[in-house]
Structures are given as structure tokens and as C-alpha cells.
Amino acid sequence: MEAKKFLEIVDRSNTGTKVSSDDWNLKYVAKQVRKIVKKYDLKWDNQVIIPEDDQLLDTIFVAAKELLLQTGIYNISTERIIALTEEEIDEGIAHMRTSLTMGEGKDAYTLVAREVEDSRPPAIWAGNPGCPTPEELFYPNVLATAKEPIIDLMTCGSLIDVDGFPVKSGEPTEVLAVRRELQYLRKALDEVGRPGLGLLAAESAVTEIGDLSAVAPGLLKSTDSHLIVFFNELIIDNGNLVRVANGFDTDIVNASLACTMVGGMAGDAPGSCMTMIASILAANIIGNADYHLCHPIHIKDIATTARGCLWLQSVLCQTFAKKAPAIIVCDIWPSSGSLTKELLYEVAANAIVVTVSGGHLEGVGAANGNEPNGTGLEVRLMGEVGKAVAKQGMSRTQANEIVLKLLDKYEHVFKMEDKNAGARFDVSYNLDTLTPVPEWQQMYDEVKVELSEMGIKF
């Protein structure tokens, strides 16, 4: 998209229909979503996590376009609606990227728009994306992940302190945190001999100030990406529009991020899926997106491994694969943390769903991304499961059977008071060797045996 066209659309933030945020949520989102879900009779079966229903894919895509045309996108900063035309939506679909090379040199990796039951492996985008992490743990955690040979791209947590000072949004500490984050990432990649690996970074950037500070020599490169966030539901703000503008002359890759709330204003899984598809269609235009991150959040269970979230990721990936090929990267944010078998079961289930449905894998945001309880070991399993499932040509039917078995092994964690948050990185890993402690390694070995017995051919 040219800058002039972007500015023309953004200007609707100042001229569009003015509504309050409450009216947006209730009258524009909740009311319209319910109406369209009823019109198209969109339903789901919580025993069929990975549907095989082409009619569903056709219908939910049409429904999502209809929703976006009726609502537009709400700029919460100006309290005005950015309306979009059908021609603009179709133009955005036509220009979605189906191939994108990230990184450089020997470490370059090309993302592609995957197909349903694709034998091509998903990208393994590794790290604990956005997880709040103390500086003392940040570099060891990043290095432990970077050491995993199976990864293709890198991301990371967000720094919560710099030199002992807490990071605060929009303040000098945010600028320093973003730059420190990227310095640690570069240092880790140099140490493991993969300096050109592509990044999704500036995770410590809560505001546009942090995002702008990432564009400096030696930090974000044109072969890296940053986030353009769409809030739930169908909302953007001026800060994220500034992030889009920041990408025009720097050629940094734009990753749109939609975080639809399953069970929230958009209703259960079908309405939430339709809404997230609409958000991605809008991100093609308003976010000038190069690829898309799919991150559903369950209103009660939170994790992407909840049934409704798994169904959403499967249907969304399949819909784009069939109706409008695009690069879809799905976040894996389990409820459990390290030193629990449930974390490994959750990772395996989520990786299976996304892989057979046509998506790529990013994570792992262990402990719902709330604690620094992620490690390189579950990242390794995510990669091994994703690549094995693709290579063996696993069908959706077989994948669904395995995922139901895994759900039986971990769904109880959603009822736990701490949702099975597990242990911090420095408890589950030896910081001197950056290897898993024996207990954590043993759990991983045992779970891999279980997964093999279920039908995954490692």
C-alpha cells in the first residue's frame, strides 16, 4: 500500500461516525455478530476441534466480510469508525502476501501460505512472546531458545526492568527496554552462529514510543518484523497507526495481531472466529500487514489450548487456506508452565491443530504469558510435533482423535487456582549449562513416548 492511500484511510479516524466505546462493543460488535451468526446458522461441536466442512469455511468467510462491511474498525483514540468499502476489502485480499522471506544470508527463511493438511513444514517461530521477564533471566532464556536447532525464526519476552528500574509505558525505561531486548537477541544469535535469523521483536514496546525506538542501527532490520495490534473486538488506536506509519520508509515487516476473546462480545467460537477473520481482512488495509498472527483468548480459560480457541485457530487457518491464501502464524499460549507434563500436552495439541489446518507455529507463551515460566524444551517439542505431523501427512481426522486424547490429559488445569503456572525458567533449567534439569528432561522424554504411541511419527 502507498503511504497516500494509508493516510486517506487513517483520516477516516477524524471524519467517521462518532460512537462511544460502550456503544461500539454492544451495538456494533455484540449485536451485529449475534445477528450474522444467526443468519448463517454458524455452530460448532466441541468434540470436532478440527472440522472437515468446506461449507463452513465458505460461509464463515462470507459472514466475516459482511461483518466488516457493517461495522468497520473502531479507532478508540478518536472514538470514530474507520469504514471500509467492499472494493477495499477485496483489494486487500488480492494483495495478501503468500510468500515472505525473513532473515538474511544463510539464516534466511521463507514463510509461505500453507494449505490444509500441507506436507510442507510449518515455520517454528520460537520464544516466549511478550511474556514479562526480569532482566536477570532475559538473556539466558533467549539463548536457551536460540540454541534449539529446530527453530526457524525468533521472538522473545518483554523486559519488566532495566538495570534494576521497572519499565513503565511511554517513559524512558520503555525506550531502553526495547533496545536492550534487541541487543540481547542479537548477542544470542551471534553466540549460536545464526546471526541472520529473522525476528518478531520489540516485544517490550507497549506504546508507539517503544516501537519507534526499535528502528535504530543494529536493532530491527528490514528482514525483521514488529507488531501492529488490533484490540478486541475490531479496535485499533492511534498508537498502532503510528506503528504502521513507522514501517513505510524503514521496510520493516508488519505483523498484524488479532486477539479476539472467545466467549466475549463476539460470543462463542463461531462468532469469535468470524470476528477474527474480519480483523485480519481489515489488517490487510489499515495495518498494511505482511503476515498475520492469530491469538484467540478464552474468556475463562485464557489459553489458546482451550477447546474454543483450538477450534477457532483450525477454522481460521483452513478458511484462509481455501478462500484467500495468506501467511497465518498461530500463537501457542498454554495455561501450564515448565516442569509440568500438562504444558507438553498443551503444546502438542495446539501444534497438531495449527499444522494440519494450514498455519505456522509461534511460541511458547507458557503460563498464559503471565510469568517467565517458559523454556527452550517445550519450544523443541512444538517444532518436533509440527514438523512430524506435516511430514507424515497426518489427516484432520487422525489429528482430531489425538487432540481429544490430549485434551483429556490437560483440561483439568483450567480449573486450578493458578492454572498450573509451573516453575520459573531458572528452576527448570540449569543456568550454567542452559539445559533442562533432569526432572524436566524426563517429563519431555516420557511425553514424546506417549505422543509416538498416539500416532506421531518423530
Side-chain angles (χ1 to χ4, degrees):
M1 180 191 297
E2 294 181 354
K4 182 179 179 180
K5 177 63 174 176
F6 168 70
L7 292 174
E8 176 190 319
I9 291 171
V10 167
D11 191 53
R12 298 172 199 173
S13 298
N14 302 311
T15 61
T17 302
K18 191 171 181 68
V19 299
S20 69
S21 59
D22 285 343
D23 280 350
W24 173 260
N25 288 328
L26 295 173
K27 296 180 180 179
Y28 284 83
V29 177
K31 183 177 179 180
Q32 291 302 322
V33 169
R34 283 199 302 268
K35 181 179 176 182
I36 295 172
V37 165
K38 183 177 180 180
K39 174 182 176 180
Y40 289 102
D41 194 27
L42 295 173
K43 298 176 181 177
W44 76 298
D45 179 347
N46 67 10
Q47 295 298 309
V48 184
I49 305 300
I50 308 169
E52 300 180 53
D53 183 351
D54 284 348
Q55 183 61 50
L56 168 64
L57 308 182
D58 293 340
T59 302
I60 205 165
F61 190 70
V62 170
K65 287 183 66 178
E66 184 173 321
L67 175 66
L68 184 57
L69 279 169
Q70 289 185 7
T71 62
I73 293 292
Y74 184 60
N75 185 335
I76 198 168
S77 300
T78 63
E79 295 190 319
R80 292 186 184 271
I81 295 173
I82 303 173
L84 298 170
T85 67
E86 187 168 5
E87 291 74 19
E88 287 170 335
I89 295 170
D90 288 340
E91 184 179 356
I93 292 169
H95 288 91
M96 282 195 297
R97 301 188 70 162
T98 57
S99 178
L100 172 65
T101 299
M102 304 275 301
E104 57 191 3
K106 68 179 180 63
D107 301 312
Y109 181 86
T110 300
L111 288 156
V112 297
R114 296 183 68 245
E115 300 174 358
V116 179
E117 298 180 1
D118 202 329
S119 61
R120 293 173 297 178
I124 309 305
W125 212 314
N128 51 347
C131 295
T133 306
E135 187 171 15
E136 64 176 334
L137 294 183
F138 195 90
Y139 182 68
N141 188 281
V142 166
L143 183 57
T145 299
K147 287 173 63 177
E148 295 293 337
I150 201 166
I151 72 173
D152 303 304
L153 298 152
M154 276 282 291
T155 186
C156 62
S158 59
L159 281 162
I160 61 172
D161 65 283
V162 175
D163 293 334
F165 292 89
V167 176
K168 297 181 180 180
S169 300
E171 296 192 7
T173 49
E174 182 182 354
V175 173
L176 293 173
V178 171
R179 293 181 174 173
R180 188 74 55 87
E181 167 198 316
L182 281 152
Q183 290 162 1
Y184 283 139
L185 280 165
R186 296 289 176 214
K187 180 181 176 183
L189 294 180
D190 284 341
E191 185 163 336
V192 300
R194 303 186 72 181
L197 213 65
L199 302 174
L200 170 58
E203 292 277 6
S204 302
V206 179
T207 71
E208 66 275 18
I209 290 172
D211 192 73
L212 290 166
S213 69
V215 184
L219 301 181
L220 273 186
K221 302 177 182 178
S222 61
T223 54
D224 298 323
S225 58
H226 68 151
L227 290 171
I228 310 297
V229 181
F230 283 73
F231 308 114
N232 55 304
E233 307 296 347
L234 301 173
I235 295 172
I236 200 165
D237 65 357
N238 279 343
N240 276 284
L241 293 174
V242 169
R243 289 176 181 237
V244 181
N246 189 27
F248 271 99
D249 296 319
T250 58
D251 293 326
I252 294 170
V253 176
N254 291 331
S256 82
L257 172 63
C259 297
T260 298
M261 185 76 70
V262 177
M265 289 294 171
D268 206 355
S272 296
C273 184
M274 176 182 70
T275 303
M276 187 174 285
I277 292 171
S279 182
I280 287 175
L281 296 180
N284 290 329
I285 310 159
I286 299 171
N288 199 26
D290 294 293
Y291 70 92
H292 303 279
L293 288 161
C294 170
H295 189 143
I297 303 168
H298 194 277
I299 196 166
K300 292 182 179 179
D301 301 334
I302 304 173
T304 61
T305 53
R307 287 184 190 240
C309 292
L310 292 174
W311 187 92
L312 185 156
Q313 287 188 326
S314 176
V315 172
L316 184 142
C317 287
Q318 290 191 60
T319 298
F320 277 100
K322 183 183 181 199
K323 302 297 296 183
I327 299 166
I328 307 293
V329 182
C330 289
D331 277 346
I332 293 184
W333 276 41
S335 184
S336 304
S338 70
L339 272 178
T340 71
K341 276 192 173 182
E342 288 88 352
L343 171 58
L344 303 174
Y345 296 139
E346 289 185 71
V347 167
N350 214 156
I352 293 168
V353 169
V354 173
T355 300
V356 300
S357 301
H360 296 282
L361 304 172
E362 191 211 26
V364 174
N368 282 321
N370 289 325
E371 304 289 344
N373 296 2
T375 76
L377 195 59
E378 67 269 18
V379 166
R380 184 189 309 170
L381 185 71
M382 177 181 76
E384 290 172 334
V385 169
K387 291 180 184 290
V389 165
K391 185 177 181 180
Q392 73 189 70
M394 184 179 288
S395 69
R396 284 169 287 177
T397 299
Q398 184 185 8
N400 196 76
E401 292 171 355
I402 296 173
V403 169
L404 290 177
K405 292 177 183 177
L406 289 167
L407 279 160
D408 286 343
K409 290 179 175 290
Y410 73 73
E411 274 188 302
H412 64 275
V413 305
F414 301 136
K415 297 179 181 179
M416 295 171 63
E417 186 174 348
D418 72 343
K419 294 191 180 293
N420 206 38
R424 277 188 12 153
F425 171 74
D426 52 345
V427 175
S428 53
Y429 258 55
N430 182 317
L431 293 187
D432 293 326
T433 62
L434 287 185
T435 56
V437 298
E439 182 184 356
W440 188 213
Q441 181 67 49
Q442 182 178 348
M443 289 183 187
Y444 162 85
D445 293 337
E446 290 171 354
V447 169
K448 275 198 71 175
V449 171
E450 292 181 63
L451 293 172
S452 295
E453 291 171 348
M454 290 181 190
I456 299 178
K457 299 176 182 177
F458 293 107

